[in-house]
Amino acid sequence: MTMQPPTHVYEVKPTPMAEAVPPMPLPSFEEYEPAGDCPCRGCAQRRRTLARARAIPLRDGGHPAARGARRALVLATAAGVVLGGGGAAVATAAPGPGGRVALDDPGSPQGGRAPLHGPKGAKGTPAKPAGLPGAPSAVKRTDRATIINRAKLWLDAQVPYSMAEYWSDGYRQDCSGYVSMAWNLGTNEWTGSLDKFATRITKEELLPGDMLLFHNPADPNKGSHVVLFGGWVDETRTHYVAYEQTRPTTRKLATPYGYWKNAVKYIPYRFNGVAGGVVPEPPVTGEPPAPGGTPAVPATFPGASKFGPGADNAHVAQLGRMLSDRGGLRFYPKGVSTKWSDADRQATEAFQRAQGWTGADADGIPGATTWRLLARHQGKDIPPLTGGAPGPAGKPAFPGASFLRPGASHPSITALGRQLVKKGFGKYYTAGPGPRWGEADRRSVEAFQRAQGWRGAEANGYPGPETWRRLFA
């Protein structure tokens, strides 16, 4: 049974003014709480604020503007308490400077790890611990479309935010409970444990269903927050669609990367149970979405002048993203850019050669046919490395995270291991290195990452583009 919040009652009483001031009644607000004050952080903070405001004597002397400011503080504080005291009328955000709505602070404290439906279970009986508080529960395989569709369930229902209540599906109604629900986890996790179910990625690798996580271990209820990535708003990749559970209810909002506040502390992660199935975005120019959900791009070639040395425009970045989706991610260890680079030329040439073209037809500069095949997701993909072919600057190219995971077998794993040994991080190899990923590879990579000063999820033993770049630098 859902517990109702305590009722907050307020009484307006006239307060006598000092003799020096013409007598006129001013409203003074007194708050009466039922037995057992509401323990939530929001109500406690409002009670403290109201008490401080009431402590300022309105009969004090001083400049009239100062007296007016103090009166406004009391009235505004009391009005805020009335609005936020459990009634239906709850403001979504307070106006900020210049009259803008302040959306830069989620103000969303969260609960800890808990079973589905909370400690009491679905029907008031003790819930099974589901592996709490030890290792994370096993992940269930899913796809991106399912993750986003599950997120939309709470959005459609406008689930109210709560760090103590549990929705009918068993998930806690806070930010981390929301992501636990969307990922279909068997428990309610929190920002300090969600990364155990995911792998850290780069901004360029973000796809719908991934998460952006900020966990503040010093004070988990101060700033810690997590949102689901729903896709980029435009080609500049400065804003994305965020699905999140925050006050007052679930919302979907265009959000600056990584978030309104503490932006640089929001780290992108990919759920370990995701199995592709990128959510298709609606076509912008009438072109059908490409297979796999890559956002549609105009099939009309923008012109040869947009590419080549010295070019700097959005079409170069679009080319890099299309090539990355077609097997060319290893050519972009630092991510795609609007500025033309040798990485764009090599990736384009690799795609052209994959079509069987040679000579001037595979010069690394896109033409109308190259662009059309990429935009319509036609032709052959860039084949994976089979012999440790060099990437930019003659170094082994980053093959992609999927080739450097348990169960993978790839020549790049051998190249990785040999470089780790060369750099002095090979003590975990009792044999090899070889082409099949093993625990020795992971521990050696972790040691190298820690030597860079990285900790936590940044030193998980799985190389990304930055680890690869530094290792082969």
Side-chain angles (χ1 to χ4, degrees):
M1 179 177 71
T2 303
M3 297 182 62
Q4 297 296 326
T7 303
H8 302 264
V9 184
Y10 306 91
E11 180 177 339
V12 179
K13 294 183 177 180
T15 299
M17 299 294 294
E19 293 182 359
V21 181
M24 59 179 292
L26 285 177
S28 174
F29 289 79
E30 292 187 9
E31 181 179 1
Y32 294 88
E33 297 284 356
D37 293 349
C38 177
C40 79
R41 181 183 179 187
C43 287
Q45 178 63 33
R46 282 190 287 270
R47 286 195 295 272
R48 289 194 296 270
T49 302
L50 184 63
R52 286 195 297 267
R54 286 204 309 265
I56 303 175
L58 294 179
R59 296 182 298 275
D60 286 351
H63 196 280
R67 294 199 302 271
R70 288 193 291 269
R71 290 168 186 154
L73 173 62
V74 172
L75 293 174
T77 303
V81 174
V82 172
L83 286 175
V90 180
T92 57
R100 294 176 297 177
V101 175
L103 295 172
D104 59 350
D105 188 355
S108 303
Q110 58 180 326
R113 296 187 68 203
L116 293 181
H117 300 283
K120 294 184 178 180
K123 298 181 179 180
T125 57
K128 294 181 179 180
L132 297 172
S137 58
V139 299
K140 302 174 184 176
R141 300 297 289 174
T142 186
D143 56 60
R144 299 185 182 281
T146 300
I147 293 174
I148 296 300
N149 286 335
R150 288 177 65 88
K152 289 179 179 178
L153 292 176
W154 279 26
L155 185 67
D156 294 340
Q158 285 294 279
V159 175
Y161 177 87
S162 173
M163 61 180 289
E165 299 294 331
Y166 294 79
W167 195 238
S168 57
D169 53 18
Y171 292 96
R172 191 177 54 248
Q173 295 166 213
D174 59 9
C175 62
S176 47
Y178 182 53
V179 174
S180 299
M181 179 277 298
W183 284 358
N184 197 22
L185 301 181
T187 50
N188 281 285
E189 298 298 323
W190 72 308
T191 56
S193 61
L194 279 170
D195 63 328
K196 306 299 189 298
F197 297 83
T199 300
R200 184 169 178 174
I201 58 175
T202 64
K203 175 183 177 181
E204 289 72 23
E205 294 175 306
L206 274 166
L207 292 172
D210 297 335
M211 75 171 174
L212 286 163
L213 174 71
F214 167 37
H215 177 64
N216 180 12
D219 186 354
N221 275 337
K222 186 176 181 180
S224 296
H225 192 47
V226 60
V227 302
L228 282 171
F229 180 83
W232 295 108
V233 173
D234 53 35
E235 290 188 355
T236 64
R237 297 198 175 194
T238 58
H239 288 71
Y240 65 98
V241 175
Y243 291 86
E244 60 179 318
Q245 183 68 6
T246 187
R247 292 190 175 100
T249 61
T250 315
R251 77 180 181 191
K252 172 186 177 184
L253 187 69
T255 303
Y257 187 87
Y259 198 70
W260 304 93
K261 193 174 183 180
N262 298 310
V264 298
K265 296 183 179 180
Y266 279 76
I267 307 300
Y269 286 89
R270 176 156 299 156
F271 179 43
N272 291 335
V274 74
V278 181
V279 179
E281 296 291 336
V284 178
T285 61
E287 291 288 336
T294 303
V297 297
T300 303
F301 181 53
S305 62
K306 302 294 185 182
F307 307 97
D312 185 355
N313 56 77
H315 298 292
V316 175
Q318 183 64 64
L319 173 71
R321 288 193 286 272
M322 292 192 295
L323 288 166
S324 295
D325 291 341
R326 300 298 299 275
L329 182 63
R330 64 178 183 265
F331 293 97
Y332 297 95
K334 297 183 180 180
V336 300
S337 170
T338 60
K339 295 182 179 180
W340 180 269
S341 68
D342 199 47
D344 298 297
R345 184 192 63 77
Q346 292 189 19
T348 303
E349 180 181 352
F351 179 77
Q352 291 168 334
R353 291 189 178 278
Q355 315 313 309
W357 306 341
T358 58
D361 294 329
D363 58 359
I365 304 296
T369 303
T370 300
W371 185 269
R372 177 176 54 81
L373 292 178
L374 288 168
R376 294 183 175 177
H377 211 86
Q378 298 173 346
K380 298 179 179 178
D381 290 349
I382 299 172
L385 291 175
T386 57
K395 305 293 184 181
F398 180 61
S402 61
F403 291 98
L404 304 168
R405 289 293 186 270
S409 180
H410 195 270
S412 292
I413 298 176
T414 304
L416 170 74
R418 289 174 178 170
Q419 188 69 4
L420 287 165
V421 172
K422 182 179 178 180
K423 292 278 189 177
F425 297 91
K427 69 177 183 179
Y428 296 106
Y429 290 106
T430 57
R436 181 171 294 278
W437 182 269
E439 181 63 12
D441 298 294
R442 192 199 67 78
R443 295 182 70 183
S444 300
V445 172
E446 180 183 0
F448 176 77
Q449 291 169 330
R450 288 186 173 276
Q452 313 308 304
W454 304 341
R455 296 295 183 268
E458 296 178 342
N460 60 4
Y462 297 105
E466 181 62 17
T467 298
W468 190 273
R469 184 188 69 79
R470 293 193 181 195
L471 182 61
F472 285 93

